[in-house]
Amino acid sequence: MGSERGELVIEGLTLPLALRFISGKYQGGEFPLPDSGEIVIGRSSELDMVLVEDMVSRRHAKISVEGGDFFLEDLGSTNGSFVNGEKISRTKLGEGDRILIGTSIIKVVASDGSASVQDAKAKMDAAYASARPSPGSTMTGSIAEVALPDLLQLFSASKKTGVLQITTETDVGSIYLEEGMVQFAVVNGDESVPPEKAFYRVLVWDKGTFDLLPKVERSFPTEIKSSVEGLLMEGMRQLDEMRRLGDALPPLQSLISVASPMAQPLRDASPEELDVIQLALDHETLVDLMNHAGKPDPEVADVVVALLEKGYLVSD
């Protein structure tokens, strides 16, 4: 393995590249890439990058440098190697790529070049020794480091089974996975909300932590039937529709109430608007109203914005 590090050239600046562990037992560790030779990754103690966990084979994968480019090659591992949600046999790596090996998600990043290989190994050992995952968690990390759509694609490709729990300052979301497929989703334990709606709500969270917890044997009120790819596409479509409304739509936790007096008579409201006015009478917050609307969030949001503009509803 070469003693110097691989580099990324951006607008005349030469930046060294490194592998940063953004989840798993070695979260926070960083390993510099060489400018020649190879890095062999696996469970065996004599390798360049040692990952001590059952899901990693003794000789799992290697990263080689060829003509200044980096290539990841799986070495016939039992559980496979994944890059950006796809299982690979051999593929070229670039800055920003995410690698999944065992329970470690590793991102190719530009670094400050201060760490040596020896420093990296010491820091990885320290990260492993100090790791304190949530009880029963097989994988943990920050969704600020790896976005939920990317994480779900990785879990789909690697056919993970378990409960993906996402925790923010105010909410807890749970996504139930079986062989990489989404079975069910719930936010804050409220199973009266359709699971697809709960899934799309969680999908847009960008701060907090995630834990992949063991499978829970249970039945669900209803199950999600769409593929992960289909769910992600629909989720992104809904997000675009919600963003289109901009500041006209209040935050989901806002209080929503029926105006008194109303600016216009109820007879001028459409049937869809009357349904939402009734929901506003029965529920205090916008999120509760949308939870019980029985329609996709963007459709309900469009009606809420129209009712606010017409003076039928008011928000805090």
Side-chain angles (χ1 to χ4, degrees):
M1 183 172 62
S3 60
E4 296 183 15
R5 289 174 284 275
E7 296 174 334
L8 174 70
V9 178
I10 301 178
E11 296 182 353
L13 296 176
T14 301
L15 302 174
L17 288 179
L19 302 175
R20 179 178 296 159
F21 286 75
I22 59 177
S23 84
K25 297 177 180 178
Y26 300 92
Q27 184 178 357
E30 192 167 297
F31 198 99
L33 287 173
D35 67 349
S36 63
E38 63 184 28
I39 297 172
V40 182
I41 306 167
R43 202 172 68 245
S44 181
S45 60
E46 72 271 10
L47 301 182
D48 304 300
M49 182 186 290
V50 181
L51 303 181
V52 185
E53 59 171 288
D54 293 340
M55 291 184 66
V56 176
S57 298
R58 288 184 60 80
R59 287 175 55 88
H60 195 106
K62 71 175 181 180
I63 295 175
S64 56
V65 186
E66 302 175 18
D69 292 325
F70 299 95
F71 293 86
L72 175 70
E73 179 181 351
D74 186 80
L75 299 178
S77 65
T78 301
N79 293 299
S81 303
F82 302 83
V83 175
N84 300 328
E86 295 185 6
K87 189 173 185 178
I88 60 96
S89 56
R90 187 174 189 270
T91 190
K92 184 178 177 180
L93 293 176
E95 197 266 341
D97 283 344
R98 290 182 173 90
I99 303 165
L100 174 64
I101 293 178
T103 64
S104 294
I105 300 176
I106 309 164
K107 186 176 181 180
V108 181
V109 299
S111 72
D112 60 13
S114 61
S116 66
V117 171
Q118 290 74 21
D119 290 339
K121 288 182 176 180
K123 289 180 179 179
M124 286 177 62
D125 288 342
Y128 176 76
S130 63
R132 294 291 184 271
S134 299
S137 177
T138 60
M139 183 184 296
T140 186
S142 166
I143 58 174
E145 286 278 7
V146 53
L148 281 172
D150 294 341
L151 190 64
L152 286 161
Q153 285 180 318
L154 285 170
F155 288 171
S156 174
S158 55
K159 299 186 183 301
K160 296 290 188 187
T161 295
V163 183
L164 176 59
Q165 181 173 291
I166 304 94
T167 306
T168 72
E169 290 184 354
T170 57
D171 299 294
V172 176
S174 298
I175 298 174
Y176 293 77
L177 301 168
E178 181 70 33
E179 291 292 312
M181 297 292 292
V182 177
Q183 288 183 302
F184 190 71
V186 61
V187 177
N188 297 329
D190 186 358
E191 296 190 1
S192 67
V193 179
E196 291 87 354
K197 187 185 285 279
F199 178 88
Y200 300 139
R201 293 274 175 78
V202 175
L203 192 62
V204 302
W205 295 354
D206 57 6
K207 294 179 182 177
T209 59
F210 72 85
D211 290 280
L212 184 61
L213 304 174
K215 178 180 179 179
V216 175
E217 295 293 346
R218 55 154 297 177
S219 59
F220 302 107
T222 58
E223 288 196 16
I224 295 175
K225 302 298 184 182
S226 301
S227 67
V228 171
E229 292 76 13
L231 287 168
L232 292 177
M233 288 181 63
E234 175 61 17
M236 292 302 101
R237 185 196 69 80
Q238 290 197 17
L239 178 59
D240 288 342
E241 288 294 307
M242 297 288 280
R243 284 175 173 168
R244 177 181 55 81
L245 295 173
D247 294 337
L249 181 69
L252 291 185
Q253 297 300 329
S254 299
L255 296 176
I256 294 289
S257 58
V258 177
S260 180
M262 290 185 180
Q264 299 185 46
L266 278 174
R267 64 174 177 271
D268 293 342
S270 69
E272 291 80 9
E273 291 173 334
L274 289 172
D275 287 342
V276 172
I277 291 171
Q278 180 64 56
L279 287 166
L281 290 170
D282 296 335
H283 304 283
E284 290 186 351
T285 64
L286 178 57
V287 68
D288 286 339
L289 182 157
M290 297 176 79
N291 282 346
H292 294 86
K295 293 181 180 180
D297 284 351
E299 292 184 24
V300 183
D302 276 333
V303 178
V304 168
V305 169
L307 290 172
L308 289 169
E309 291 175 348
K310 293 177 180 179
Y312 286 111
L313 297 181
V314 294
S315 67
D316 64 350

Short mmCIF file of all heavy atoms in Angstrom, two decimals, residues 16-17 26 34 63 67 90 94-95 102 130 137 155 173 190 205 214 226 231 236 241 272-273 279 285-286 288 291 300:
data_model
loop_
_atom_site.label_atom_id
_atom_site.label_comp_id
_atom_site.label_asym_id
_atom_site.label_seq_id
_atom_site.Cartn_x
_atom_site.Cartn_y
_atom_site.Cartn_z
N PRO A 16 -6.77 15.78 -0.53
CA PRO A 16 -6.65 14.34 -0.31
C PRO A 16 -8.02 13.72 -0.08
O PRO A 16 -8.93 14.38 0.44
CB PRO A 16 -5.77 14.25 0.94
CG PRO A 16 -5.99 15.53 1.65
CD PRO A 16 -6.23 16.57 0.60
N LEU A 17 -8.16 12.46 -0.48
CA LEU A 17 -9.41 11.74 -0.27
C LEU A 17 -9.26 10.77 0.89
O LEU A 17 -8.17 10.28 1.18
CB LEU A 17 -9.82 10.97 -1.52
CG LEU A 17 -10.33 11.78 -2.70
CD1 LEU A 17 -10.66 10.86 -3.87
CD2 LEU A 17 -11.55 12.61 -2.32
N TYR A 26 -17.59 1.94 13.86
CA TYR A 26 -16.42 2.80 13.68
C TYR A 26 -16.81 4.23 13.32
O TYR A 26 -16.00 4.97 12.77
CB TYR A 26 -15.51 2.22 12.59
CG TYR A 26 -15.02 0.83 12.92
CD1 TYR A 26 -15.71 -0.30 12.48
CD2 TYR A 26 -13.87 0.63 13.69
CE1 TYR A 26 -15.27 -1.57 12.80
CE2 TYR A 26 -13.42 -0.63 13.99
CZ TYR A 26 -14.13 -1.74 13.55
OH TYR A 26 -13.69 -3.00 13.86
N PRO A 34 -4.66 5.90 -0.44
CA PRO A 34 -3.31 6.04 -0.98
C PRO A 34 -3.33 6.53 -2.42
O PRO A 34 -4.38 6.53 -3.07
CB PRO A 34 -2.77 4.62 -0.90
CG PRO A 34 -3.98 3.77 -1.13
CD PRO A 34 -5.12 4.49 -0.45
N ILE A 63 -9.87 -1.85 -2.10
CA ILE A 63 -9.86 -0.62 -2.89
C ILE A 63 -8.49 -0.52 -3.54
O ILE A 63 -7.47 -0.54 -2.84
CB ILE A 63 -10.14 0.61 -2.02
CG1 ILE A 63 -11.58 0.54 -1.46
CG2 ILE A 63 -9.98 1.90 -2.83
CD1 ILE A 63 -11.91 1.66 -0.49
N GLY A 67 -4.18 4.34 -12.21
CA GLY A 67 -4.11 5.56 -13.00
C GLY A 67 -4.74 6.76 -12.33
O GLY A 67 -5.32 7.62 -12.99
N ARG A 90 -17.37 -4.95 -8.85
CA ARG A 90 -16.26 -4.01 -8.97
C ARG A 90 -16.81 -2.71 -9.55
O ARG A 90 -17.59 -2.73 -10.50
CB ARG A 90 -15.16 -4.56 -9.89
CG ARG A 90 -13.88 -3.69 -9.93
CD ARG A 90 -12.80 -4.40 -10.77
NE ARG A 90 -11.51 -3.73 -10.66
CZ ARG A 90 -11.10 -2.75 -11.48
NH1 ARG A 90 -11.87 -2.34 -12.47
NH2 ARG A 90 -9.91 -2.20 -11.30
N GLY A 94 -15.93 7.62 -6.41
CA GLY A 94 -15.71 9.06 -6.52
C GLY A 94 -16.08 9.75 -5.23
O GLY A 94 -16.77 9.18 -4.37
N GLU A 95 -15.66 10.99 -5.07
CA GLU A 95 -15.97 11.77 -3.88
C GLU A 95 -17.48 11.87 -3.70
O GLU A 95 -18.22 12.14 -4.64
CB GLU A 95 -15.36 13.17 -4.02
CG GLU A 95 -15.24 13.92 -2.70
CD GLU A 95 -16.43 14.81 -2.45
OE1 GLU A 95 -17.14 15.12 -3.42
OE2 GLU A 95 -16.65 15.21 -1.30
N GLY A 102 -20.89 -4.65 5.80
CA GLY A 102 -21.38 -5.05 7.11
C GLY A 102 -22.38 -4.05 7.62
O GLY A 102 -23.37 -3.73 6.96
N SER A 130 -15.17 2.87 21.98
CA SER A 130 -16.08 3.78 22.66
C SER A 130 -17.50 3.73 22.12
O SER A 130 -18.36 4.47 22.58
CB SER A 130 -15.56 5.22 22.55
OG SER A 130 -15.53 5.63 21.20
N SER A 137 -29.38 -2.21 18.99
CA SER A 137 -29.17 -1.66 17.65
C SER A 137 -28.02 -2.37 16.95
O SER A 137 -26.97 -2.62 17.54
CB SER A 137 -28.87 -0.17 17.74
OG SER A 137 -28.58 0.37 16.46
N PHE A 155 -30.42 -0.15 2.40
CA PHE A 155 -31.06 -1.24 3.11
C PHE A 155 -31.86 -2.12 2.16
O PHE A 155 -31.96 -3.34 2.36
CB PHE A 155 -31.97 -0.70 4.21
CG PHE A 155 -31.22 -0.12 5.39
CD1 PHE A 155 -31.89 0.56 6.39
CD2 PHE A 155 -29.85 -0.27 5.51
CE1 PHE A 155 -31.21 1.09 7.47
CE2 PHE A 155 -29.15 0.25 6.59
CZ PHE A 155 -29.84 0.92 7.57
N GLY A 173 -39.91 8.17 14.51
CA GLY A 173 -40.52 7.43 13.42
C GLY A 173 -39.95 6.03 13.35
O GLY A 173 -38.76 5.82 13.63
N ASP A 190 -48.61 6.57 16.49
CA ASP A 190 -50.00 6.78 16.07
C ASP A 190 -50.30 5.91 14.84
O ASP A 190 -50.09 6.33 13.71
CB ASP A 190 -50.23 8.25 15.75
CG ASP A 190 -51.70 8.55 15.45
OD1 ASP A 190 -52.52 7.60 15.45
OD2 ASP A 190 -52.02 9.72 15.22
N TRP A 205 -37.37 14.17 6.97
CA TRP A 205 -36.58 14.60 8.13
C TRP A 205 -35.11 14.64 7.74
O TRP A 205 -34.60 13.74 7.06
CB TRP A 205 -36.78 13.64 9.30
CG TRP A 205 -38.18 13.63 9.85
CD1 TRP A 205 -39.21 14.44 9.50
CD2 TRP A 205 -38.69 12.74 10.84
NE1 TRP A 205 -40.34 14.12 10.21
CE2 TRP A 205 -40.06 13.07 11.04
CE3 TRP A 205 -38.16 11.70 11.58
CZ2 TRP A 205 -40.86 12.40 11.95
CZ3 TRP A 205 -38.96 11.02 12.50
CH2 TRP A 205 -40.29 11.37 12.68
N PRO A 214 -33.50 -4.84 15.88
CA PRO A 214 -33.90 -6.18 15.43
C PRO A 214 -35.37 -6.25 15.03
O PRO A 214 -36.20 -5.44 15.47
CB PRO A 214 -33.63 -7.05 16.67
CG PRO A 214 -32.62 -6.30 17.46
CD PRO A 214 -32.93 -4.84 17.23
N SER A 226 -46.02 -1.10 -1.88
CA SER A 226 -45.17 -0.53 -2.93
C SER A 226 -43.71 -0.90 -2.70
O SER A 226 -43.28 -1.19 -1.58
CB SER A 226 -45.29 1.00 -2.93
OG SER A 226 -46.62 1.40 -3.15
N LEU A 231 -41.89 4.00 -3.42
CA LEU A 231 -42.14 4.86 -2.27
C LEU A 231 -41.27 6.10 -2.31
O LEU A 231 -41.74 7.21 -2.02
CB LEU A 231 -41.87 4.08 -0.98
CG LEU A 231 -42.90 3.01 -0.60
CD1 LEU A 231 -42.34 2.13 0.52
CD2 LEU A 231 -44.22 3.64 -0.17
N MET A 236 -40.66 11.87 -3.00
CA MET A 236 -40.01 13.05 -3.55
C MET A 236 -41.01 13.92 -4.33
O MET A 236 -40.94 15.14 -4.30
CB MET A 236 -38.86 12.63 -4.46
CG MET A 236 -37.68 11.98 -3.74
SD MET A 236 -36.94 13.05 -2.46
CE MET A 236 -37.67 12.36 -0.96
N GLU A 241 -44.31 18.97 -4.27
CA GLU A 241 -45.62 19.63 -4.25
C GLU A 241 -45.78 20.49 -3.00
O GLU A 241 -46.30 21.61 -3.06
CB GLU A 241 -46.73 18.58 -4.31
CG GLU A 241 -46.88 17.88 -5.65
CD GLU A 241 -47.35 18.84 -6.72
OE1 GLU A 241 -48.38 19.51 -6.52
OE2 GLU A 241 -46.67 18.94 -7.76
N GLU A 272 -64.85 19.69 -1.23
CA GLU A 272 -63.52 19.39 -0.67
C GLU A 272 -63.16 20.39 0.43
O GLU A 272 -62.59 20.02 1.46
CB GLU A 272 -62.46 19.44 -1.77
CG GLU A 272 -62.55 18.32 -2.80
CD GLU A 272 -63.62 18.59 -3.85
OE1 GLU A 272 -64.17 19.73 -3.87
OE2 GLU A 272 -63.92 17.67 -4.64
N GLU A 273 -63.52 21.66 0.23
CA GLU A 273 -63.24 22.67 1.24
C GLU A 273 -64.08 22.46 2.49
O GLU A 273 -63.60 22.64 3.61
CB GLU A 273 -63.46 24.07 0.66
CG GLU A 273 -62.43 24.45 -0.41
CD GLU A 273 -62.74 25.76 -1.10
OE1 GLU A 273 -63.94 26.14 -1.15
OE2 GLU A 273 -61.80 26.40 -1.60
N LEU A 279 -62.78 19.03 9.35
CA LEU A 279 -61.58 18.51 10.01
C LEU A 279 -60.97 19.56 10.94
O LEU A 279 -60.49 19.22 12.03
CB LEU A 279 -60.55 18.07 8.97
CG LEU A 279 -60.85 16.78 8.20
CD1 LEU A 279 -59.95 16.66 6.99
CD2 LEU A 279 -60.67 15.58 9.13
N THR A 285 -54.41 20.97 15.39
CA THR A 285 -53.19 21.31 14.65
C THR A 285 -53.30 20.88 13.19
O THR A 285 -54.09 20.00 12.83
CB THR A 285 -51.96 20.62 15.26
OG1 THR A 285 -52.10 19.20 15.15
CG2 THR A 285 -51.80 21.02 16.72
N LEU A 286 -52.47 21.50 12.36
CA LEU A 286 -52.46 21.17 10.94
C LEU A 286 -52.06 19.72 10.72
O LEU A 286 -52.64 19.02 9.89
CB LEU A 286 -51.49 22.11 10.19
CG LEU A 286 -51.33 21.85 8.69
CD1 LEU A 286 -52.68 21.92 7.97
CD2 LEU A 286 -50.35 22.86 8.09
N ASP A 288 -52.53 17.15 12.73
CA ASP A 288 -53.64 16.27 13.08
C ASP A 288 -54.72 16.29 12.00
O ASP A 288 -55.30 15.26 11.66
CB ASP A 288 -54.25 16.68 14.42
CG ASP A 288 -53.37 16.30 15.60
OD1 ASP A 288 -52.54 15.39 15.44
OD2 ASP A 288 -53.51 16.92 16.67
N ASN A 291 -53.45 14.26 9.16
CA ASN A 291 -53.41 12.84 9.50
C ASN A 291 -54.75 12.16 9.28
O ASN A 291 -54.81 10.98 8.91
CB ASN A 291 -53.00 12.67 10.97
CG ASN A 291 -51.51 12.84 11.19
OD1 ASN A 291 -50.73 12.83 10.25
ND2 ASN A 291 -51.13 12.99 12.45
N VAL A 300 -54.39 17.83 0.51
CA VAL A 300 -54.97 18.49 1.67
C VAL A 300 -54.34 19.87 1.85
O VAL A 300 -55.02 20.86 2.14
CB VAL A 300 -54.79 17.65 2.94
CG1 VAL A 300 -55.46 18.31 4.13
CG2 VAL A 300 -55.34 16.24 2.73
#
